[in-house]
Protein backbone atom coordinates (compact mmCIF):
# COMPACT_ATOMS: atom_id res chain seq x y z
CA UNK A 1 0.00 0.00 0.00
CA UNK A 2 2.80 2.39 0.89
CA UNK A 3 4.26 1.77 -2.55
CA UNK A 4 1.06 2.63 -4.34
CA UNK A 5 0.59 5.60 -2.05
CA UNK A 6 3.98 7.03 -2.92
CA UNK A 7 3.22 6.40 -6.59
CA UNK A 8 0.03 8.41 -6.12
CA UNK A 9 1.90 11.22 -4.49
CA UNK A 10 3.62 11.89 -7.78
CA UNK A 11 0.25 12.12 -9.49
CA UNK A 12 -1.84 13.87 -6.83
CA UNK A 13 -0.46 16.50 -4.53
CA UNK A 14 -2.52 17.45 -1.49
CA UNK A 15 -2.48 21.14 -2.21
CA UNK A 16 -5.13 23.77 -2.67
CA UNK A 17 -5.55 27.52 -3.05
CA UNK A 18 -4.47 29.29 0.11
CA UNK A 19 -6.10 32.03 2.13
CA UNK A 20 -6.81 35.18 0.09
CA UNK A 21 -6.81 38.39 2.11
CA UNK A 22 -9.27 39.96 -0.33
CA UNK A 23 -11.90 37.41 0.75
CA UNK A 24 -11.58 36.92 4.51
CA UNK A 25 -15.27 36.17 5.09
CA UNK A 26 -17.40 33.06 4.99
CA UNK A 27 -18.83 34.29 1.70
CA UNK A 28 -16.47 33.11 -1.04
CA UNK A 29 -18.70 33.76 -4.05
CA UNK A 30 -16.58 36.66 -5.25
CA UNK A 31 -13.35 34.70 -4.72
CA UNK A 32 -14.53 32.10 -7.23
CA UNK A 33 -15.78 34.68 -9.74
CA UNK A 34 -12.66 36.84 -9.46
CA UNK A 35 -10.36 33.90 -10.17
CA UNK A 36 -12.50 32.83 -13.11
CA UNK A 37 -12.43 36.26 -14.77
CA UNK A 38 -8.76 36.75 -13.86
CA UNK A 39 -7.84 33.54 -15.65
CA UNK A 40 -9.49 34.55 -18.91
CA UNK A 41 -8.12 38.07 -18.66
CA UNK A 42 -4.70 36.55 -18.07
CA UNK A 43 -4.79 34.30 -21.12
CA UNK A 44 -6.11 37.03 -23.42
CA UNK A 45 -3.17 39.16 -22.33
CA UNK A 46 -0.39 36.59 -22.14
CA UNK A 47 -1.61 33.56 -24.04
CA UNK A 48 -2.84 30.19 -22.91
CA UNK A 49 0.64 28.78 -22.24
CA UNK A 50 1.73 31.55 -19.88
CA UNK A 51 2.49 29.59 -16.72
CA UNK A 52 1.39 32.14 -14.07
CA UNK A 53 -2.15 32.04 -15.51
CA UNK A 54 -2.41 28.39 -14.39
CA UNK A 55 -2.70 29.53 -10.78
CA UNK A 56 -6.00 31.28 -11.54
CA UNK A 57 -7.26 28.18 -13.30
CA UNK A 58 -6.39 25.97 -10.33
CA UNK A 59 -8.05 28.45 -7.99
CA UNK A 60 -11.33 28.74 -9.85
CA UNK A 61 -11.53 24.99 -10.32
CA UNK A 62 -11.04 24.50 -6.58
CA UNK A 63 -13.54 27.17 -5.59
CA UNK A 64 -16.30 27.25 -8.22
CA UNK A 65 -18.95 24.53 -8.47
CA UNK A 66 -18.58 22.65 -11.77
CA UNK A 67 -22.11 23.69 -12.70
CA UNK A 68 -21.16 27.37 -12.42
CA UNK A 69 -18.01 26.86 -14.51
CA UNK A 70 -20.02 25.10 -17.22
CA UNK A 71 -22.60 27.89 -17.22
CA UNK A 72 -19.97 30.64 -17.46
CA UNK A 73 -18.06 28.77 -20.19
CA UNK A 74 -21.28 28.66 -22.17
CA UNK A 75 -21.91 32.36 -21.57
CA UNK A 76 -18.42 33.21 -22.77
CA UNK A 77 -19.01 31.27 -25.97
CA UNK A 78 -22.29 33.08 -26.56
CA UNK A 79 -20.75 36.41 -25.64
CA UNK A 80 -23.22 36.90 -22.80
CA UNK A 81 -20.74 36.63 -19.93
CA UNK A 82 -21.69 39.45 -17.50
CA UNK A 83 -18.17 40.84 -17.03
CA UNK A 84 -15.43 42.18 -19.24
CA UNK A 85 -12.69 39.67 -19.96
CA UNK A 86 -10.42 42.25 -21.59
CA UNK A 87 -7.16 42.62 -19.70
CA UNK B 1 -7.57 13.40 24.46
CA UNK B 2 -9.29 11.52 21.65
CA UNK B 3 -6.16 9.44 21.17
CA UNK B 4 -5.90 8.79 24.90
CA UNK B 5 -9.48 7.50 25.04
CA UNK B 6 -9.06 5.35 21.96
CA UNK B 7 -6.21 3.53 23.72
CA UNK B 8 -8.92 1.80 25.74
CA UNK B 9 -10.64 0.64 22.57
CA UNK B 10 -13.80 2.54 23.35
CA UNK B 11 -16.41 3.19 20.70
CA UNK B 12 -17.17 6.78 19.76
CA UNK B 13 -20.66 8.07 19.34
CA UNK B 14 -20.49 9.63 15.87
CA UNK B 15 -24.14 9.29 14.86
CA UNK B 16 -27.41 10.49 16.33
CA UNK B 17 -29.13 7.92 18.54
CA UNK B 18 -32.84 7.66 19.45
CA UNK B 19 -33.93 10.15 22.13
CA UNK B 20 -30.43 11.51 22.43
CA UNK B 21 -30.15 14.58 24.65
CA UNK B 22 -26.39 15.10 24.90
CA UNK B 23 -23.72 15.79 22.34
CA UNK B 24 -22.05 13.29 20.07
CA UNK B 25 -18.37 12.57 20.69
CA UNK B 26 -16.06 15.17 19.30
CA UNK B 27 -13.73 14.51 16.39
CA UNK B 28 -12.61 18.07 15.63
CA UNK B 29 -11.06 20.90 17.68
CA UNK B 30 -13.93 23.23 16.78
CA UNK B 31 -16.54 20.92 18.22
CA UNK B 32 -14.43 20.33 21.35
CA UNK B 33 -14.46 24.11 21.82
CA UNK B 34 -18.23 24.29 21.36
CA UNK B 35 -18.89 21.52 23.87
CA UNK B 36 -16.49 23.02 26.41
CA UNK B 37 -18.10 26.46 26.05
CA UNK B 38 -21.55 24.92 26.44
CA UNK B 39 -20.54 22.96 29.54
CA UNK B 40 -18.74 25.88 31.17
CA UNK B 41 -21.67 28.25 30.64
CA UNK B 42 -24.03 25.48 31.77
CA UNK B 43 -22.14 25.15 35.07
CA UNK B 44 -22.42 28.86 35.86
CA UNK B 45 -26.04 28.80 34.71
CA UNK B 46 -26.79 26.29 37.45
CA UNK B 47 -24.88 28.30 40.08
CA UNK B 48 -26.68 31.52 39.10
CA UNK B 49 -30.08 29.82 38.96
CA UNK B 50 -29.64 28.46 42.48
CA UNK B 51 -28.58 31.89 43.78
CA UNK B 52 -31.52 33.70 42.11
CA UNK B 53 -34.16 31.17 43.16
CA UNK B 54 -32.76 31.06 46.71
CA UNK B 55 -33.10 34.86 46.96
CA UNK B 56 -36.61 34.84 45.46
CA UNK B 57 -37.90 32.07 47.72
CA UNK B 58 -36.30 33.43 50.86
CA UNK B 59 -37.74 36.90 50.23
CA UNK B 60 -41.17 35.44 49.51
CA UNK B 61 -40.92 33.32 52.66
CA UNK B 62 -39.48 35.75 55.21
CA UNK B 63 -41.18 38.91 54.06
CA UNK B 64 -44.70 37.76 53.28
CA UNK B 65 -47.55 39.56 55.03
CA UNK B 66 -47.95 36.83 57.70
CA UNK B 67 -44.32 36.69 58.82
CA UNK B 68 -43.53 40.33 58.38
CA UNK B 69 -46.66 42.44 58.34
CA UNK B 70 -44.95 45.82 57.99
CA UNK B 71 -42.36 44.92 55.31
CA UNK B 72 -44.58 46.25 52.54
CA UNK B 73 -44.52 49.63 54.19
CA UNK B 74 -40.74 49.98 54.80
CA UNK B 75 -38.91 47.59 52.43
CA UNK B 76 -39.91 49.27 49.19
CA UNK B 77 -36.65 50.69 47.89
CA UNK B 78 -32.92 49.97 48.00
CA UNK B 79 -30.43 51.75 45.78
CA UNK B 80 -27.53 49.45 46.62
CA UNK B 81 -29.35 46.23 45.74
CA UNK B 82 -30.65 47.83 42.52
CA UNK B 83 -27.08 48.65 41.53
CA UNK B 84 -25.83 45.15 42.39
CA UNK B 85 -28.49 43.28 40.45
CA UNK B 86 -28.11 45.53 37.44
CA UNK B 87 -24.34 45.68 37.15
CA UNK B 88 -23.43 42.09 38.06
CA UNK B 89 -25.61 40.52 35.28
CA UNK B 90 -23.95 42.90 32.84
CA UNK B 91 -20.55 41.57 33.86
CA UNK B 92 -21.81 38.00 33.60
CA UNK B 93 -22.98 38.68 30.03
CA UNK B 94 -19.58 40.14 29.17
CA UNK B 95 -17.88 37.10 30.70
CA UNK B 96 -20.01 34.88 28.44
CA UNK B 97 -19.50 37.05 25.35
CA UNK B 98 -15.69 37.01 25.38
CA UNK B 99 -15.04 33.24 25.13
CA UNK B 100 -18.06 32.96 22.84
CA UNK B 101 -16.75 35.49 20.31
CA UNK B 102 -13.22 34.12 20.60
CA UNK B 103 -14.49 30.67 19.62
CA UNK B 104 -16.69 32.09 16.86
CA UNK B 105 -13.80 33.87 15.17
CA UNK B 106 -11.40 30.97 15.72
CA UNK B 107 -13.83 28.66 13.94
CA UNK B 108 -14.26 31.17 11.11
CA UNK B 109 -10.55 31.15 10.41
CA UNK B 110 -9.45 29.16 7.37
CA UNK B 111 -5.96 28.01 8.31
CA UNK B 112 -3.88 27.10 5.22
CA UNK B 113 -6.10 24.28 3.96
CA UNK B 114 -4.61 21.17 2.34
CA UNK B 115 -7.77 20.28 0.49
CA UNK B 116 -10.82 22.07 -0.83
CA UNK B 117 -14.02 20.11 -1.29
CA UNK B 118 -17.12 21.59 -2.88
CA UNK B 119 -20.43 20.47 -1.44
CA UNK B 120 -23.63 21.07 -3.37
CA UNK B 121 -27.04 20.45 -1.82
CA UNK B 122 -29.75 19.20 -4.16
CA UNK B 123 -33.36 18.20 -3.68
CA UNK B 124 -32.70 15.64 -2.16
CA UNK B 125 -29.14 14.49 -2.14
CA UNK B 126 -25.64 15.88 -1.72
CA UNK B 127 -22.99 16.03 -4.39
CA UNK B 128 -19.29 16.42 -3.76
CA UNK B 129 -16.59 17.78 -6.04
CA UNK B 130 -12.85 17.33 -5.50
CA UNK B 131 -11.35 19.72 -8.04
CA UNK B 132 -7.88 20.37 -6.57
CA UNK B 133 -6.57 17.50 -8.67
CA UNK B 134 -8.04 18.68 -11.95
CA UNK B 135 -5.97 17.50 -14.91
CA UNK B 136 -5.24 19.34 -18.14
CA UNK B 137 -8.21 17.56 -19.70
CA UNK B 138 -10.34 19.27 -17.07
CA UNK B 139 -11.49 16.06 -15.44
CA UNK B 140 -12.54 16.50 -11.85
CA UNK B 141 -13.66 13.99 -9.26
CA UNK B 142 -17.31 14.41 -8.43
CA UNK B 143 -20.07 12.13 -7.25
CA UNK B 144 -23.54 12.17 -5.76
CA UNK B 145 -24.38 10.88 -2.30
CA UNK B 146 -27.84 9.37 -1.82
CA UNK B 147 -29.40 7.88 1.28
CA UNK B 148 -29.61 4.08 1.27
CA UNK B 149 -33.33 3.19 1.22
CA UNK B 150 -34.59 1.05 4.08
CA UNK B 151 -35.13 -1.98 1.82
CA UNK B 152 -31.44 -1.99 0.78
CA UNK B 153 -29.93 -1.66 4.26
CA UNK B 154 -27.33 -4.17 5.26
CA UNK B 155 -26.66 -5.35 8.81
CA UNK B 156 -24.94 -2.63 10.80
CA UNK B 157 -25.98 0.26 8.57
CA UNK B 158 -27.98 3.12 10.00
CA UNK B 159 -31.55 3.63 8.84
CA UNK B 160 -32.05 7.14 7.41
CA UNK B 161 -28.36 7.92 7.95
CA UNK B 162 -26.19 5.77 5.70
CA UNK B 163 -25.43 6.82 2.13
CA UNK B 164 -24.12 5.10 -0.98
CA UNK B 165 -21.09 7.38 -1.53
CA UNK B 166 -19.44 8.87 1.53
CA UNK B 167 -17.40 12.04 1.65
CA UNK B 168 -13.83 10.78 2.15
CA UNK B 169 -11.35 13.09 3.87
CA UNK B 170 -7.78 12.71 5.12
CA UNK B 171 -7.38 12.78 8.87
CA UNK B 172 -5.36 15.57 10.61
CA UNK B 173 -5.58 17.87 7.58
CA UNK B 174 -7.20 21.28 7.49
CA UNK B 175 -10.02 20.90 5.03
CA UNK B 176 -11.94 23.73 3.43
CA UNK B 177 -15.52 23.10 2.41
CA UNK B 178 -17.17 25.35 -0.14
CA UNK B 179 -20.90 24.79 0.16
CA UNK B 180 -23.76 25.94 -2.02
CA UNK B 181 -27.25 24.87 -3.01
CA UNK B 182 -28.42 23.93 -6.47
CA UNK B 183 -32.15 24.56 -5.98
CA UNK B 184 -33.25 25.67 -2.49
CA UNK B 185 -31.42 26.38 0.77
CA UNK B 186 -29.99 23.31 2.46
CA UNK B 187 -27.67 23.14 5.44
CA UNK B 188 -24.60 20.97 5.73
CA UNK B 189 -24.32 19.69 9.29
CA UNK B 190 -22.06 17.08 10.91
CA UNK B 191 -22.18 17.36 14.73
CA UNK B 192 -18.99 15.38 15.52
CA UNK B 193 -16.96 17.69 13.29
CA UNK B 194 -18.67 20.86 14.52
CA UNK B 195 -20.05 21.66 11.08
CA UNK B 196 -23.28 23.47 10.31
CA UNK B 197 -23.33 25.78 7.34
CA UNK B 198 -26.15 26.97 5.12
CA UNK B 199 -25.99 26.01 1.43
CA UNK B 200 -27.51 28.98 -0.35
CA UNK B 201 -28.13 28.90 -4.12
CA UNK B 202 -25.97 31.46 -5.91
CA UNK B 203 -23.65 31.92 -2.96
CA UNK B 204 -20.55 30.04 -1.84
CA UNK B 205 -20.01 29.63 1.87
CA UNK B 206 -16.72 28.49 3.30
CA UNK B 207 -15.91 26.54 6.44
CA UNK B 208 -12.76 24.90 7.69
CA UNK B 209 -12.41 21.85 9.89
CA UNK B 210 -9.95 19.17 10.91
CA UNK B 211 -10.76 15.56 11.75
CA UNK B 212 -8.64 14.47 14.71
CA UNK B 213 -9.23 10.76 14.37
CA UNK B 214 -10.25 8.30 11.67
CA UNK B 215 -13.90 7.42 11.78
CA UNK B 216 -17.27 7.70 10.10
CA UNK B 217 -19.27 10.76 11.06
CA UNK B 218 -22.97 11.18 10.44
CA UNK B 219 -25.05 14.28 9.91
CA UNK B 220 -28.25 15.45 8.28
CA UNK B 221 -29.51 18.32 6.17
CA UNK B 222 -30.46 21.02 8.68
CA UNK B 223 -32.58 23.42 6.69
CA UNK B 224 -36.11 22.45 5.70
CA UNK B 225 -35.73 21.96 1.95
CA UNK B 226 -38.81 20.06 0.81
CA UNK B 227 -40.65 16.79 1.29
CA UNK B 228 -37.54 14.61 1.47
CA UNK B 229 -35.57 16.98 3.66
CA UNK B 230 -35.22 14.21 6.22
CA UNK B 231 -33.85 11.76 3.69
CA UNK B 232 -30.66 13.44 2.57
CA UNK B 233 -28.17 12.44 5.29
CA UNK B 234 -24.46 13.18 5.31
CA UNK B 235 -21.67 10.68 5.93
CA UNK B 236 -18.06 11.80 6.29
CA UNK B 237 -15.34 9.17 6.50
CA UNK B 238 -11.93 10.27 7.77
CA UNK B 239 -9.03 8.06 6.69
CA UNK B 240 -5.24 8.38 6.89
CA UNK B 241 -3.65 10.53 4.18
CA UNK B 242 -1.96 7.58 2.34
CA UNK B 243 -5.32 5.81 2.28
CA UNK B 244 -6.93 9.00 1.07
CA UNK B 245 -4.51 9.20 -1.85
CA UNK B 246 -5.24 5.60 -2.73
CA UNK B 247 -8.96 6.40 -2.66
CA UNK B 248 -8.61 9.54 -4.75
CA UNK B 249 -6.66 7.52 -7.30
CA UNK B 250 -9.36 4.87 -7.54
CA UNK B 251 -12.08 7.52 -7.65
CA UNK B 252 -10.41 9.37 -10.52
CA UNK B 253 -10.45 6.33 -12.80
CU1 LIG C 1 -31.77 19.69 2.25
Amino acid sequence: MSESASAEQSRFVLQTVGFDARFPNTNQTRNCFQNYTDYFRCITAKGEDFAPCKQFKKAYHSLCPNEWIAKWDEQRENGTFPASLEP
Amino acid sequence: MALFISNFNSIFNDAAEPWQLGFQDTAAPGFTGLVTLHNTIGFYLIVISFAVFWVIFSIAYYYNSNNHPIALKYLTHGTVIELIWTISPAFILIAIAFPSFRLLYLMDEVISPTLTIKVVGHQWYWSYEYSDFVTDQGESIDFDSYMIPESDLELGQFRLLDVDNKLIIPVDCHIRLIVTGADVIHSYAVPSLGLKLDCVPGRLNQVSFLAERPGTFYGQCSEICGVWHGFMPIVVEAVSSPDFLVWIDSASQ
Side-chain angles (χ1 to χ4, degrees), chain B residues 122 124 126 184-187 221-226 228-229 232:
Chain B
H122 300 260
W124 288 274
W126 295 97
V184 297
I185 304 180
H186 301 270
S187 182
C221 178
S222 297
E223 178 67 53
I224 301 285
C225 59
W228 279 307
H229 161 65
M232 48 182 296

Side-chain angles (χ1 to χ4, degrees), chain B residues 100-149:
Chain B
S100 179
F101 275 108
R102 192 186 80 114
L103 182 63
L104 180 70
Y105 290 122
L106 274 175
M107 290 186 72
D108 254 3
E109 204 78 46
V110 172
I111 314 153
S112 57
T114 39
L115 181 68
T116 303
I117 303 168
K118 292 171 278 172
V119 178
V120 185
H122 300 260
Q123 281 176 315
W124 288 274
Y125 61 96
W126 295 97
S127 65
Y128 300 110
E129 296 167 7
Y130 296 73
S131 301
D132 287 341
F133 317 105
V134 98
T135 58
D136 284 340
Q137 289 84 48
E139 62 178 47
S140 113
I141 297 157
D142 53 87
F143 54 87
D144 297 338
S145 175
Y146 284 89
M147 185 191 77
I148 297 177

Side-chain angles (χ1 to χ4, degrees), chain B residues 171-185:
Chain B
V171 85
D172 286 330
C173 289
H174 287 286
I175 292 158
R176 161 165 53 201
L177 293 184
I178 299 277
V179 309
T180 187
D183 30 46
V184 297
I185 304 180

Side-chain angles (χ1 to χ4, degrees), chain A residues 41-84:
Chain A
R41 280 188 194 135
C42 184
I43 58 167
T44 19
K46 299 282 183 178
E48 198 138 346
D49 297 322
F50 189 61
C53 295
K54 295 251 161 68
Q55 187 52 39
F56 295 124
K57 191 177 185 176
K58 267 186 82 76
Y60 85 70
H61 270 292
S62 287
L63 298 170
C64 303
N66 295 345
E67 204 188 313
W68 294 22
I69 298 174
K71 185 182 164 187
W72 290 340
D73 285 347
E74 203 177 289
Q75 287 178 335
R76 274 188 308 109
E77 271 164 35
N78 300 335
T80 54
F81 189 71
S84 163

Side-chain angles (χ1 to χ4, degrees), chain B residues 46 62 79 92 150 162 229:
Chain B
I46 290 168
Y62 290 110
T79 313
I92 293 168
E150 210 174 329
D162 258 301
H229 161 65

Side-chain angles (χ1 to χ4, degrees), chain A residues 1-6 8-9 14, chain B residues 170-171 239-249:
Chain A
M1 194 208 74
S2 64
E3 221 170 71
S4 67
S6 59
E8 287 332 309
Q9 254 144 10
L14 279 180
Chain B
V171 85
V239 299
S240 69
S241 351
D243 286 354
F244 176 77
L245 288 164
V246 170
W247 173 79
I248 206 91
D249 177 54

